[in-house]
Amino acid sequence: MTASPTLPKSRQRLILAVLMLCSLVIWLDNTVLSTTLETLADPVRGLDAGPAELQWATGSYTLTFATLMFTAGALGDRFGHRTVLVTGLVVFAGASMWAAYASDAGQLIAARAAMGIGSALIMPANLAILMWTFSGPARASAIAISSTSAGAGMAAGPVLAGLLLGHFWWGSVFLVNVPVVALALIGIVLLVPDFRSPVPRPLDPAGMLLSISGLASLAYGLIRAGQVAAWGRTDVWAPIAVGVVLLAAFVLVELRIKAPSFDPRLLAQRTFGGGNAALGLLLFAMAAITFYSAFYLQGARGFSPMEAGAATLPTALGAVLGATLGARLVRHRPLRVVSGAALTVAALSMGAYGLLGPHTPLVLIELLLLVQGLSIGMVIGPVTAALISSLPLERAGAGSAVTNTVRQTGSVIGIAVGGTIMSIVYRRAIEPSLSAAPAPVRDRARVSAEQARHVATETHRPALARAADDAFVHAMHVGAVWVMLIALLGAAVLVIALRPAADAKRTSRPERPVTAPSAR
């Protein structure tokens, strides 16, 4: 079926609302989990999950999400994007129920991976349907409006998780996805045509296998480094090396395919490739800093889940306002100036976590989170709209999959690297405080600040709990510096990628101009 230019505007708006609801469930789940991490680490109220298990609970979802999206794009082009979207929502809801009733960390990790499969089916189909529904200037506006669902999810998720954790068991935070999915499915059946590409692309099992195994191996090595606090061990560097080789092989395989599901050639375009690289680095930084923030608020600061959820509201509010403000500013100012400045501010706000301590006034934390959310919103919304609008309509599924795969890959590596830095620095910082403690206490306290606080309570060692808080805060400070540097690198890449064509011609070969797609 081809895109119809005669869809009534009222129906277009309703379709946009349904698509935003589909995106909302993904963002809602991400923020719900971040609020739940501290509870999952609790041996009494949660699953007694260690830092590596928590990294995998987050990373397994993002891993499958990142590596299956390009396959999902091909499925949408072949079988219809509505069909794939419905399938993804059903898988996501079923996996959410599995996660809610997981009996140990291993089951939770597996359920989260299944949720990632559902999200991978949802996201490319969602964006492809949006591009087929709208044309011309309305398409860019629809993309910008759709991006506000991220802010809504960021706002609702932490507060909702806090309310549920205050009254029910931890698994209830995953069940909240089910009614949202049910409402979205009703809207899809009633409103959304089954758009599909006139030229179906073949599936890519080799590429899917190489990308999943490569990213999984890379993430395993990075997370393992945090567990053993050393990079020179064979079980650390060998998986990392294998992961890099497999990912390189993945790129080579995709380049040899006539119609690849994940087309690396798209990334060779300066604007599209550089813009995606910058967003990937931003998502790297966001994933790491969110991981730190969850444990800082509920661990070092002692906030309840509800208090921590409410404390993160300025980030969500800023993201919503930032997306709107960014869309307006780029109408009067170059996107390069607006997004480059905003990403620089976002990087500095993440680096400012290095100034937070156990007694930092809450008003300063809220101001920092507001600035962070505002600046991130000003980057993601306008830049995503510009990149997607540069794609030809017939490559909607594949192109959107490339964009989302790069971003989610940034999140996978961000969680792995950010968590590993925190684990290594924490262990080194807590070690001097453990010299006089019995061996069982030392072993548990080395695992994480959460375990140190619990064993301190059990053995009546308040000094150990204070030392754990100080060690965690120090680890967060070190991690924040690295996160800031990564985000600043992203800002530099973005400014270079968005250079005007005339400037680019002075320093490189002339490249084919990118034109906005037209509706069929």
Side-chain angles (χ1 to χ4, degrees):
M1 180 176 181
T2 58
S4 172
T6 60
L7 281 177
K9 289 187 176 180
S10 58
R11 185 176 178 184
Q12 288 181 334
R13 287 192 288 266
L14 289 173
I15 290 175
L16 178 59
V18 171
L19 296 178
M20 291 178 67
L21 194 61
C22 296
S23 297
L24 174 66
V25 75
I26 295 175
W27 285 97
L28 191 68
D29 178 73
N30 282 338
T31 52
V32 159
L33 180 65
S34 65
T35 307
T36 314
L37 289 174
E38 181 75 21
T39 302
L40 290 172
D42 194 298
V44 178
R45 297 180 298 132
L47 295 176
D48 193 20
E53 291 171 322
L54 294 176
Q55 285 174 269
W56 276 116
T58 306
S60 64
Y61 168 87
T62 314
L63 176 65
T64 53
F65 191 2
T67 54
L68 293 179
M69 272 192 294
F70 59 86
T71 300
L75 289 172
D77 288 344
R78 177 178 289 268
F79 300 110
H81 295 294
R82 184 183 67 177
T83 301
V84 172
L85 181 59
V86 168
T87 303
L89 288 168
V90 171
V91 170
F92 190 87
S96 296
M97 296 181 67
W98 181 15
Y101 294 100
S103 59
D104 55 44
Q107 286 191 25
L108 177 62
I109 291 169
R112 290 284 298 165
M115 292 173 70
I117 295 174
S119 295
L121 295 173
I122 293 170
M123 187 64 78
N126 192 312
L127 197 50
I129 291 172
L130 187 150
M131 291 187 66
W132 283 99
T133 301
F134 296 89
S135 61
R139 181 181 295 150
S141 298
I143 294 172
I145 293 172
S146 178
S147 67
T148 61
S149 61
M154 289 169 63
V159 176
L160 185 58
L163 286 171
L164 291 172
L165 291 172
H167 296 85
F168 305 100
W169 95 112
W170 61 265
S172 62
V173 302
F174 295 109
L175 291 181
V176 73
N177 297 324
V178 178
V180 180
V181 167
L183 185 60
L185 288 173
I186 293 172
I188 292 169
V189 171
L190 296 177
L191 296 167
V192 179
D194 198 11
F195 299 121
R196 69 183 68 193
S197 172
V199 184
R201 288 173 290 132
L203 300 180
D204 185 11
M208 182 176 67
L209 179 62
L210 285 170
S211 60
I212 291 177
S213 56
L215 266 181
S217 180
L218 180 61
Y220 173 83
L222 293 171
I223 292 174
R224 183 63 178 160
Q227 292 178 281
V228 300
W231 293 89
R233 292 175 46 138
T234 304
D235 56 350
V236 172
W237 64 260
I240 294 175
V242 170
V244 171
V245 170
L246 290 174
L247 291 175
F250 163 67
V251 172
L252 292 176
V253 167
E254 296 302 294
L255 288 173
R256 292 176 179 271
I257 298 176
K258 184 177 181 180
S261 297
F262 179 96
D263 192 352
R265 298 172 187 86
L266 291 175
L267 296 175
Q269 299 177 21
R270 176 174 55 84
T271 299
F272 188 79
N276 273 291
L279 289 180
L281 291 170
L282 173 58
L283 266 292
F284 176 110
M286 287 175 57
I289 210 69
T290 300
F291 196 74
Y292 296 162
S293 179
F295 292 103
Y296 169 68
L297 292 175
Q298 295 185 53
R301 296 302 298 261
F303 288 7
S304 69
M306 183 62 208
E307 291 171 336
T312 61
L313 279 177
T315 304
L317 176 62
V320 174
L321 295 177
T324 304
L325 178 60
R328 291 181 178 179
L329 286 176
V330 296
R331 296 174 189 169
H332 309 287
R333 297 287 186 274
L335 175 62
R336 180 191 190 197
V337 173
V338 173
S339 59
L343 185 44
T344 300
V345 172
L348 295 176
S349 71
M350 294 175 187
Y353 276 66
L355 303 176
L356 301 181
H359 307 292
T360 301
L362 182 59
V363 65
L364 295 180
I365 298 174
E366 299 298 273
L367 181 61
L368 173 62
L369 294 177
L370 177 63
V371 172
Q372 179 180 308
L374 189 67
S375 54
I376 289 173
M378 291 177 65
V379 175
I380 293 180
V383 172
T384 300
L387 297 181
I388 297 303
S389 295
S390 72
L391 301 172
L393 185 58
E394 64 272 12
R395 301 304 310 278
S400 61
V402 170
T403 296
N404 285 289
T405 297
V406 170
R407 288 165 57 174
Q408 294 303 320
T409 298
S411 294
V412 171
I413 306 303
I415 293 165
V417 174
T420 294
I421 291 173
M422 184 175 72
S423 295
I424 291 175
V425 178
Y426 166 79
R427 287 188 181 189
R428 293 175 179 174
I430 193 68
E431 196 63 40
S433 303
L434 302 178
S435 57
V441 173
R442 290 200 304 270
D443 292 340
R444 289 184 61 184
R446 287 191 187 106
V447 173
S448 66
E450 289 69 38
Q451 290 289 340
R453 295 187 197 102
H454 287 301
V455 74
T457 300
E458 293 171 0
T459 60
H460 307 288
R461 296 172 180 267
L464 177 59
R466 290 193 297 270
D469 288 341
D470 292 340
F472 168 81
V473 170
H474 173 66
M476 182 181 71
H477 290 173
V478 174
V481 173
W482 283 104
V483 167
M484 178 184 67
L485 294 176
I486 292 295
L488 286 175
L489 176 60
V493 170
L494 187 61
V495 170
I496 294 172
L498 297 180
R499 283 181 302 171
D503 291 346
K505 289 179 181 179
R506 297 191 190 106
T507 56
S508 62
R509 296 179 181 179
E511 64 179 38
R512 184 178 178 181
V514 178
T515 57
S518 59
R520 291 194 167 194

